[in-house]
């Protein structure tokens, strides 16, 4: 079965051992990356279990390409069916490749997110330019999904969870990629300071009434 083949391959190349060496100063990063592989294998196992129960043993004799292709078809939004008015598609930049929409909103266009700080931290001095170029290509993919209107948002300050569950407010400068967009194509909008959360929810409660379960 595919799940067993993938697990056997991961064990054979000693991927965990590689991660321990690659991230010797950050055990959490090594465990996080390995957990992604474990999640993939568990997803394949669940998929095979459903196929086995519904279609029999022959149905699970598929390749990794077959699995990824099927998952792509199941999770990918066509983008051309606009019959459902008001529908909003929430997706990553990677998942948006090949799709187009009348209106696109890119959230979190901040330095550290676009480009992503993990891509920069993991790069060596020799590969830093290549990593930045890949992040720039991803941003290009995002902005070219819009056919008519494109909105790009960023925060001045964002609550961040750091190592050991430390949570703090951090200043967030805009993405440096924004400076590369021709100025005549940009219309800036700066929102006023938002009201405190308690005041906002109190106002919503007064407007809509308190909901009881």
């Amino acid at each position: 079965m595919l799940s067993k083949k993938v697990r056997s391959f991961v064990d054979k190349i000693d991927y965990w051992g590689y991660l321990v060496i690659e991230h010797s100063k950050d055990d959490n990063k090594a465990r996080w990356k390995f957990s992604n592989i474990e999640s993939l294998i568990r997803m394949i196992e669940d998929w095979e279990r459903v196929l086995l129960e519904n279609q029999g043993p022959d149905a699970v004799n598929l390749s990794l390409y077959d699995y990824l292709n099927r998952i792509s078809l199941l999770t990918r939004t066509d983008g051309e069916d606009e019959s459902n008015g008001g529908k909003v598609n929430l997706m990553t930049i990677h998942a948006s490749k090949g799709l187009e929409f009348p209106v696109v909103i890119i959230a979190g266009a901040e330095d550290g997110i676009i480009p992503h700080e993990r891509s920069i931290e993991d790069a060596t001095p020799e590969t830093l330019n290549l990593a930045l170029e890949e992040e720039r290509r991803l941003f290009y993919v995002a902005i070219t999904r819009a056919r008519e209107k494109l909105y790009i948002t960023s925060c001045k300050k964002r609550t961040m969870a750091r190592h050991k569950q430390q949570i703090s407010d951090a200043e967030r400068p805009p993405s440096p990629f924004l400076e590369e967009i021709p100025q005549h194509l940009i219309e800036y909008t700066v929102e006023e300071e938002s009201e405190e959360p308690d005041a906002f929810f109190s106002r919503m409660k007064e407007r809509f009434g308190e909901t009881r379960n």
Side-chain angles (χ1 to χ4, degrees):
M1 296 176 69
L2 176 60
S3 57
K4 293 182 179 180
K5 292 179 181 178
V6 175
R7 187 176 295 280
S8 176
F9 176 73
V10 172
D11 293 340
K12 185 177 181 179
I13 66 174
D14 191 19
Y15 184 58
W16 171 246
Y18 161 77
L19 291 176
V20 170
I21 296 174
E22 181 72 11
H23 304 289
S24 58
K25 298 181 180 180
D26 192 343
D27 292 341
N28 289 333
K29 184 174 291 186
R31 284 193 290 268
W32 177 78
K33 289 189 174 183
F34 194 76
S35 70
N36 288 337
I37 299 298
E38 286 291 328
S39 296
L40 172 64
I41 295 174
R42 287 194 295 270
M43 289 172 62
I44 297 175
E45 289 174 341
D46 293 339
W47 175 66
E48 289 176 329
R49 189 178 303 111
V50 172
L51 286 180
L52 187 63
E53 292 174 353
N54 293 278
Q55 301 181 33
D58 293 338
V60 297
N61 188 27
L62 298 173
S63 66
L64 181 60
Y65 174 82
D66 295 323
Y67 169 75
L68 295 176
N69 193 43
R70 288 197 177 193
I71 291 300
S72 176
L73 291 174
L74 288 173
T75 58
R76 189 182 177 103
T77 303
D78 187 6
E80 295 302 323
D81 183 8
E82 300 174 3
S83 58
N84 294 327
K87 180 180 179 181
V88 175
N89 295 285
L90 180 65
M91 65 185 67
T92 64
I93 297 176
H94 286 283
S96 72
K97 290 180 178 179
L99 304 178
E100 288 186 343
F101 304 92
V103 179
V104 169
I105 301 174
I106 301 174
E110 303 151 22
D111 193 12
I113 299 179
I114 303 175
H116 201 283
E117 59 186 358
R118 187 175 294 121
S119 298
I120 307 306
E121 290 173 355
D122 290 348
T124 63
E126 293 77 15
T127 62
L128 180 58
N129 288 337
L130 186 62
L132 280 171
E133 188 61 29
E134 178 60 27
E135 292 292 296
R136 183 178 285 105
R137 279 195 290 267
L138 278 174
F139 186 57
Y140 177 79
V141 167
I143 64 178
T144 53
R145 299 310 91 199
R147 288 201 297 260
E148 299 173 11
K149 293 183 179 181
L150 172 66
Y151 296 90
I152 303 176
T153 69
S154 64
C155 295
K156 291 182 178 179
K157 185 179 293 186
R158 183 181 294 272
T159 301
M160 307 290 291
R162 297 297 184 181
H163 297 297
K164 298 181 181 180
Q165 305 300 316
Q166 293 180 347
I167 299 177
S168 61
D169 290 339
E171 298 292 333
R172 306 298 297 182
S175 169
F177 295 155
L178 297 176
E179 298 178 1
E180 301 175 11
I181 301 176
Q183 290 298 308
H184 70 278
L185 299 177
I186 302 177
E187 180 180 339
Y188 291 96
T189 300
V190 179
E191 294 292 336
E192 297 180 359
E193 292 293 330
S194 59
E195 61 186 310
E196 291 297 321
D198 289 344
F200 171 79
F201 285 113
S202 296
R203 185 164 56 83
M204 291 298 100
K205 187 180 295 185
E206 292 176 0
R207 179 175 179 181
F208 299 107
E210 184 173 358
T211 303
R212 301 180 183 275
N213 294 327

Coordinates of all heavy atoms in Angstrom, one line a residue, residues 79 82 87-93 96 99-107 114 138-153:
G79 N -13.0 28.0 -10.0 CA -12.8 29.4 -10.1 C -13.5 30.0 -11.3 O -13.7 31.2 -11.4
E82 N -19.1 30.9 -11.4 CA -19.4 32.1 -10.6 C -20.9 32.2 -10.4 O -21.5 33.3 -10.2 CB -18.9 33.4 -11.3 CG -17.3 33.3 -11.4 CD -16.8 34.5 -12.2 OE1 -17.6 35.4 -12.6 OE2 -15.6 34.6 -12.5
K87 N -19.9 34.0 -3.0 CA -19.0 33.0 -2.6 C -17.6 33.5 -2.4 O -17.1 34.2 -3.3 CB -19.0 31.8 -3.6 CG -18.1 30.7 -3.2 CD -18.2 29.6 -4.2 CE -17.3 28.4 -3.8 NZ -17.3 27.3 -4.8
V88 N -17.0 33.1 -1.3 CA -15.6 33.6 -1.0 C -14.7 32.3 -1.0 O -15.0 31.4 -0.3 CB -15.5 34.4 0.3 CG1 -14.0 34.7 0.6 CG2 -16.3 35.6 0.2
N89 N -13.6 32.3 -1.7 CA -12.6 31.2 -1.6 C -11.4 31.7 -0.8 O -10.8 32.7 -1.1 CB -12.2 30.9 -3.1 CG -13.3 30.3 -3.9 OD1 -13.8 29.2 -3.7 ND2 -13.8 31.2 -4.8
L90 N -11.1 30.9 0.2 CA -10.0 31.2 1.1 C -8.9 30.1 0.8 O -9.2 28.9 0.9 CB -10.4 31.1 2.6 CG -9.3 31.4 3.6 CD1 -8.8 32.8 3.5 CD2 -9.8 31.1 5.0
M91 N -7.7 30.5 0.4 CA -6.7 29.6 0.0 C -5.3 30.2 0.1 O -5.2 31.4 0.3 CB -6.9 29.2 -1.5 CG -6.8 30.3 -2.5 SD -7.2 29.8 -4.2 CE -9.0 29.5 -4.1
T92 N -4.3 29.3 0.1 CA -3.0 29.7 0.1 C -2.6 30.2 -1.3 O -3.3 29.9 -2.3 CB -2.0 28.6 0.5 OG1 -2.1 27.5 -0.5 CG2 -2.4 28.0 1.9
I93 N -1.4 30.9 -1.4 CA -1.0 31.3 -2.7 C -0.6 30.1 -3.6 O -1.0 30.1 -4.8 CB 0.3 32.2 -2.6 CG1 -0.1 33.5 -1.8 CG2 0.9 32.5 -3.9 CD1 1.1 34.4 -1.5
S96 N -3.6 28.7 -5.3 CA -4.3 29.6 -6.2 C -3.7 29.5 -7.6 O -4.2 30.1 -8.6 CB -4.2 31.0 -5.8 OG -2.9 31.5 -5.8
L99 N -5.5 29.6 -11.2 CA -6.9 30.1 -11.0 C -6.9 31.6 -11.2 O -5.9 32.3 -11.1 CB -7.4 29.8 -9.7 CG -7.4 28.3 -9.3 CD1 -7.9 28.1 -7.9 CD2 -8.2 27.5 -10.3
E100 N -8.1 32.2 -11.6 CA -8.3 33.6 -11.6 C -9.7 33.9 -11.0 O -10.6 33.1 -11.1 CB -8.3 34.1 -13.1 CG -6.9 34.1 -13.7 CD -6.9 34.7 -15.1 OE1 -8.0 34.8 -15.7 OE2 -5.8 35.1 -15.6
F101 N -9.8 35.1 -10.4 CA -11.0 35.6 -9.8 C -11.2 37.1 -10.1 O -10.2 37.8 -10.4 CB -10.9 35.4 -8.3 CG -10.6 34.0 -7.9 CD1 -9.3 33.6 -7.7 CD2 -11.7 33.1 -7.7 CE1 -9.0 32.3 -7.3 CE2 -11.4 31.8 -7.3 CZ -10.1 31.4 -7.1
P102 N -12.5 37.5 -10.2 CA -12.7 39.0 -10.4 C -12.1 39.9 -9.4 O -11.5 40.9 -9.7 CB -14.2 39.1 -10.4 CG -14.7 37.7 -10.6 CD -13.7 36.8 -10.0
V103 N -12.1 39.5 -8.1 CA -11.6 40.2 -7.0 C -10.7 39.3 -6.2 O -11.1 38.2 -5.8 CB -12.7 40.9 -6.2 CG1 -12.1 41.7 -5.0 CG2 -13.6 41.7 -7.0
V104 N -9.5 39.8 -5.8 CA -8.6 39.1 -5.0 C -8.1 40.0 -3.8 O -7.9 41.2 -4.0 CB -7.4 38.6 -5.8 CG1 -6.3 38.1 -4.9 CG2 -7.8 37.5 -6.8
I105 N -8.1 39.4 -2.6 CA -7.6 40.1 -1.5 C -6.4 39.3 -0.9 O -6.5 38.2 -0.6 CB -8.7 40.3 -0.4 CG1 -9.9 41.0 -0.9 CG2 -8.1 41.0 0.9 CD1 -11.1 41.1 0.0
I106 N -5.3 40.0 -0.9 CA -4.1 39.4 -0.3 C -3.9 39.9 1.1 O -3.7 41.1 1.3 CB -2.8 39.7 -1.1 CG1 -3.0 39.2 -2.6 CG2 -1.6 39.1 -0.5 CD1 -1.9 39.6 -3.5
A107 N -4.0 39.1 2.1 CA -3.9 39.5 3.5 C -2.5 39.3 4.0 O -1.9 38.3 3.7 CB -5.0 38.8 4.4
I114 N 5.5 37.9 3.7 CA 5.8 38.0 2.2 C 6.9 39.0 2.1 O 6.7 40.2 2.1 CB 4.6 38.5 1.4 CG1 3.4 37.6 1.6 CG2 4.9 38.5 -0.1 CD1 2.1 38.1 0.9
L138 N 6.2 33.9 -5.9 CA 4.9 33.5 -5.2 C 4.0 34.8 -5.1 O 2.8 34.7 -5.3 CB 5.2 33.0 -3.8 CG 5.6 31.5 -3.8 CD1 5.9 31.1 -2.3 CD2 4.4 30.6 -4.3
F139 N 4.6 35.9 -4.8 CA 3.9 37.1 -4.7 C 3.3 37.5 -6.0 O 2.2 38.0 -6.1 CB 4.7 38.2 -4.1 CG 4.0 39.5 -3.8 CD1 2.9 39.5 -3.0 CD2 4.4 40.7 -4.4 CE1 2.2 40.7 -2.7 CE2 3.7 41.9 -4.2 CZ 2.6 41.9 -3.3
Y140 N 4.1 37.3 -7.1 CA 3.6 37.6 -8.4 C 2.4 36.7 -8.8 O 1.4 37.1 -9.4 CB 4.7 37.4 -9.4 CG 4.3 37.6 -10.9 CD1 4.2 38.9 -11.4 CD2 4.0 36.5 -11.7 CE1 3.8 39.1 -12.7 CE2 3.6 36.7 -13.0 CZ 3.6 38.0 -13.5 OH 3.2 38.1 -14.8
V141 N 2.5 35.4 -8.4 CA 1.3 34.5 -8.6 C 0.1 35.1 -7.9 O -1.0 35.1 -8.5 CB 1.7 33.1 -8.1 CG1 0.4 32.3 -8.0 CG2 2.7 32.4 -8.9
A142 N 0.3 35.6 -6.7 CA -0.9 36.1 -5.9 C -1.5 37.3 -6.6 O -2.8 37.3 -6.8 CB -0.4 36.4 -4.5
I143 N -0.7 38.2 -7.0 CA -1.3 39.5 -7.5 C -1.9 39.2 -8.9 O -2.8 40.0 -9.3 CB -0.3 40.6 -7.5 CG1 0.9 40.3 -8.5 CG2 0.2 40.9 -6.1 CD1 1.9 41.4 -8.6
T144 N -1.4 38.3 -9.6 CA -1.9 38.0 -11.0 C -3.1 37.1 -11.0 O -3.6 36.7 -12.1 CB -0.8 37.5 -11.9 OG1 -0.2 36.3 -11.3 CG2 0.3 38.5 -12.2
R145 N -3.6 36.7 -9.9 CA -4.9 36.0 -9.8 C -6.1 36.9 -10.0 O -7.2 36.4 -10.3 CB -5.1 35.2 -8.5 CG -4.0 34.2 -8.1 CD -3.7 33.2 -9.2 NE -2.6 33.7 -10.1 CZ -2.4 33.3 -11.3 NH1 -3.2 32.4 -11.8 NH2 -1.4 33.7 -12.0
A146 N -5.9 38.2 -9.9 CA -7.0 39.1 -10.0 C -7.3 39.6 -11.4 O -6.4 40.0 -12.1 CB -6.8 40.3 -9.1
R147 N -8.5 39.5 -11.8 CA -8.9 39.9 -13.2 C -9.3 41.4 -13.2 O -9.1 42.1 -14.2 CB -10.0 39.0 -13.8 CG -9.6 37.6 -14.1 CD -10.6 37.0 -15.1 NE -11.9 36.9 -14.5 CZ -12.4 35.7 -14.0 NH1 -11.7 34.6 -14.0 NH2 -13.6 35.7 -13.5
E148 N -10.0 41.8 -12.1 CA -10.5 43.2 -12.1 C -10.0 44.0 -11.0 O -9.5 45.2 -11.2 CB -12.1 43.1 -12.1 CG -12.7 42.4 -13.2 CD -14.2 42.2 -13.1 OE1 -14.7 42.8 -12.1 OE2 -14.8 41.4 -13.8
K149 N -10.1 43.6 -9.8 CA -9.6 44.3 -8.6 C -8.7 43.5 -7.7 O -8.9 42.3 -7.5 CB -10.9 44.8 -7.8 CG -11.7 45.8 -8.6 CD -12.9 46.3 -7.7 CE -13.7 47.4 -8.4 NZ -14.8 47.9 -7.5
L150 N -7.7 44.2 -7.2 CA -6.8 43.6 -6.2 C -6.6 44.4 -5.0 O -6.3 45.6 -5.1 CB -5.4 43.4 -6.9 CG -4.3 42.9 -6.0 CD1 -4.5 41.5 -5.5 CD2 -2.9 43.0 -6.7
Y151 N -6.9 43.8 -3.8 CA -6.7 44.5 -2.6 C -5.6 43.8 -1.8 O -5.5 42.6 -1.7 CB -8.0 44.5 -1.7 CG -9.2 45.2 -2.3 CD1 -10.0 44.5 -3.2 CD2 -9.4 46.5 -2.1 CE1 -11.1 45.1 -3.8 CE2 -10.5 47.2 -2.6 CZ -11.3 46.5 -3.5 OH -12.4 47.1 -4.1
I152 N -4.6 44.6 -1.3 CA -3.5 44.1 -0.6 C -3.5 44.8 0.8 O -3.5 46.0 0.9 CB -2.2 44.4 -1.3 CG1 -2.2 43.8 -2.7 CG2 -1.0 43.8 -0.5 CD1 -0.9 44.1 -3.5
T153 N -3.6 44.0 1.9 CA -3.7 44.5 3.2 C -2.4 44.1 4.0 O -1.8 43.1 3.8 CB -4.9 44.0 3.9 OG1 -4.7 42.6 4.2 CG2 -6.1 44.1 3.1

